[in-house]
Amino acid sequence: WADANVSRQIEDTVLYGYYTLYSIILFCVFLWIPFVYFYYEEKEDDDGNTCTQVKTALKYTLGFITICAVLLLIGAFVPLDIPNKKNSTEWEKVKLLFEEFGSSHGLTALSFSISSLTVIGMLAAITYTAYGMSALPLNLIKGTTSAAYERLENTEDIEEVEQHLLRIKSKCRDGRPLSSRDRRTVQQLEERLRTLRRRERHLESIEKSWWTKFCEAIRPLKIVWGVFFIIVALLFTVSLFLSNLDKALHSAGFDSGFIILGTNLTNPLNMLLPVLQTVFPLDYILITTIVMYFIFTSMAGIRNMGIWFFWIRLYKIRRGKTRPQALLFLCMILLLIVLHTSYMIYSLAPQYVMYGSQKYLVQ
């Protein structure tokens, strides 16, 4: 059946699917997320009308659209291999660029743009995913401080502040007024006392909530999951090491993108996935689990580290207190990490990604 037009139709459907999904990613990264980010920035800086905020956001977003257009033009009109013809004119060279762009149907332009974003996603994965692969299981094993223990510490702080207030106020029992320094200290201590009492009420409600009791009940299960995630992280580390070692030793070299003609040093995932493919849909379940694992570890890394620009912390990720701009940054970072994950899966299981359980029939 592959000799008929059926295979061509399947290939076109898959190609148009990739066009659509990758175009949505470009739209989100270069247009939608920057526009909403600058809209909220303008909303916080200036309480003007909505029309002014939209205009300012569009003005800043135009820079991102320009970057996207430059990437598309570079990918479309810079061929990797230009034939050297001595008698060719400049017009013929330009005509060759347009012919290549037409023959590829814009695939090179989209591929270059997505590859550029994938490089940024690789840096985000090195920063956040790698940290999250160790932070997530360790946090599950270590656990968090219980609400009862925090409430006990908070009660001790309240008693300490009250005693400090009594010592200062005892100075004016004989009718002498307090000094300006003591009055400022009393104001600060009273403000801190009000904050501690509000925190005590908050911790009391948390301690009595059903969610806290449920988390305490599944505490042994969290430890089991933490140990399991450590084993999974080690499995991925070994698989990536063996796959890249195979590329370094047996690939066709840099010019071919380190493509491997056959598998010489196999890894556990590369062995497991083709076997699971014979029983539908076990391989899809495992691939989905791998992708979700990288997403959860990336979110754990971002939550623990926050969002940084080199050495400057831009935003913190906190439950119920995260700013809208930080959530937009979180979405963009996850988009880029997922792009890099699609490339990293090829390194994890090159045989499965390229051919699955199929093999060439040697004539």
Side-chain angles (χ1 to χ4, degrees):
W1 62 269
D3 294 334
N5 292 328
V6 179
S7 60
R8 185 60 183 172
Q9 293 174 1
I10 295 174
E11 292 175 1
D12 291 340
T13 304
V14 173
L15 180 62
Y16 295 146
Y18 275 114
Y19 275 139
T20 304
L21 294 175
Y22 282 138
S23 299
I24 291 173
I25 291 177
L26 289 179
F27 172 78
C28 290
V29 171
F30 287 108
L31 180 60
W32 180 246
I33 294 179
F35 172 76
V36 178
Y37 174 84
F38 290 115
Y39 176 81
Y40 274 101
E41 283 289 326
E42 186 67 20
K43 188 176 182 180
E44 290 185 356
D45 295 339
D46 185 16
D47 295 332
N49 56 6
T50 306
C51 185
T52 305
Q53 296 168 6
V54 171
K55 288 181 180 179
T56 307
L58 285 174
K59 180 177 68 175
Y60 288 113
T61 308
L62 189 62
F64 287 85
I65 298 175
T66 305
I67 295 173
C68 181
V70 169
L71 291 176
L72 290 172
L73 288 174
I74 293 174
F77 296 110
V78 179
L80 296 177
D81 186 16
I82 301 178
N84 294 323
K85 293 183 179 180
K86 296 181 180 180
N87 298 326
S88 60
T89 62
E90 294 297 327
W91 168 248
E92 290 177 348
K93 293 180 180 179
V94 174
K95 185 179 179 182
L96 174 64
L97 293 178
F98 279 95
E99 287 176 354
E100 288 193 0
F101 178 71
S103 61
S104 64
H105 303 286
L107 182 60
T108 54
L110 189 61
S111 298
F112 183 80
S113 304
I114 293 298
S115 299
S116 303
L117 293 180
T118 304
V119 173
I120 303 175
M122 178 191 68
L123 300 177
I126 292 172
T127 305
Y128 295 110
T129 309
Y131 180 78
M133 288 175 70
S134 59
L136 178 62
L138 291 179
N139 287 338
L140 288 174
I141 295 173
K142 183 178 64 176
T144 57
T145 306
S146 64
Y149 183 77
E150 290 186 10
R151 188 182 173 194
L152 180 61
E153 287 184 338
N154 192 74
T155 304
E156 294 176 354
D157 293 339
I158 290 175
E159 293 175 355
E160 183 180 350
V161 171
E162 288 177 344
Q163 291 176 4
H164 197 180
L165 277 172
L166 288 175
R167 284 197 301 269
I168 295 177
K169 290 180 179 180
S170 64
K171 298 179 181 179
C172 61
R173 287 180 180 175
D174 54 356
R176 291 182 302 171
L178 290 173
S179 63
S180 58
R181 179 182 177 183
D182 288 338
R183 286 197 299 270
R184 287 196 300 270
T185 306
V186 168
Q187 291 177 357
Q188 293 174 359
L189 290 175
E190 288 178 345
E191 179 64 29
R192 189 186 176 196
L193 186 62
R194 286 192 292 268
T195 303
L196 290 173
R197 283 174 177 167
R198 284 198 302 267
R199 188 166 185 266
E200 184 181 19
R201 292 191 295 269
H202 177 65
L203 291 173
E204 185 178 359
S205 63
I206 292 177
E207 187 180 0
K208 294 180 180 179
S209 66
W210 63 269
W211 177 252
T212 303
K213 297 177 181 178
F214 175 74
C215 291
E216 291 176 354
I218 64 171
R219 179 79 184 99
L221 186 60
K222 286 184 176 181
I223 297 176
V224 174
W225 274 108
V227 175
F228 173 73
F229 282 144
I230 289 178
I231 296 173
V232 171
L234 292 175
L235 174 64
F236 287 153
T237 303
V238 171
S239 298
L240 285 173
F241 175 76
L242 291 176
S243 179
N244 288 291
L245 182 63
D246 191 15
K247 289 181 180 180
L249 296 177
H250 306 105
S251 68
F254 175 79
D255 295 335
S256 64
F258 296 99
I259 191 170
I260 300 176
L261 304 176
T263 304
N264 301 283
L265 295 176
T266 188
N267 62 70
L269 282 175
N270 203 30
M271 295 171 57
L272 181 60
L273 280 167
V275 175
L276 293 181
Q277 191 188 21
T278 57
V279 182
F280 180 82
L282 294 181
D283 58 327
Y284 291 146
I285 294 174
L286 182 56
I287 285 290
T288 305
T289 304
I290 291 173
V291 174
M292 295 306 298
Y293 171 80
F294 283 124
I295 291 176
F296 283 130
T297 52
S298 302
M299 293 179 67
I302 297 172
R303 183 191 61 200
N304 284 274
M305 295 177 60
I307 297 173
W308 291 73
F309 182 76
F310 290 102
W311 60 90
I312 303 173
R313 184 196 288 271
L314 297 179
Y315 300 104
K316 293 181 180 179
I317 306 296
R318 295 174 294 177
R319 185 175 62 183
K321 299 180 181 179
T322 307
R323 298 178 63 186
Q325 295 91 327
L327 291 176
L328 291 169
F329 262 110
L330 173 65
C331 294
M332 181 178 287
I333 291 171
L334 288 177
L335 269 177
L336 298 176
I337 289 176
V338 167
L339 274 179
H340 177 254
T341 301
S342 65
Y343 170 77
M344 187 164 51
I345 288 179
Y346 171 74
S347 296
L348 283 171
Q351 174 68 29
Y352 170 78
V353 172
M354 291 296 293
Y355 308 111
S357 60
Q358 302 178 84
K359 298 179 186 294
Y360 276 115
L361 178 61
V362 179
Q363 298 292 338

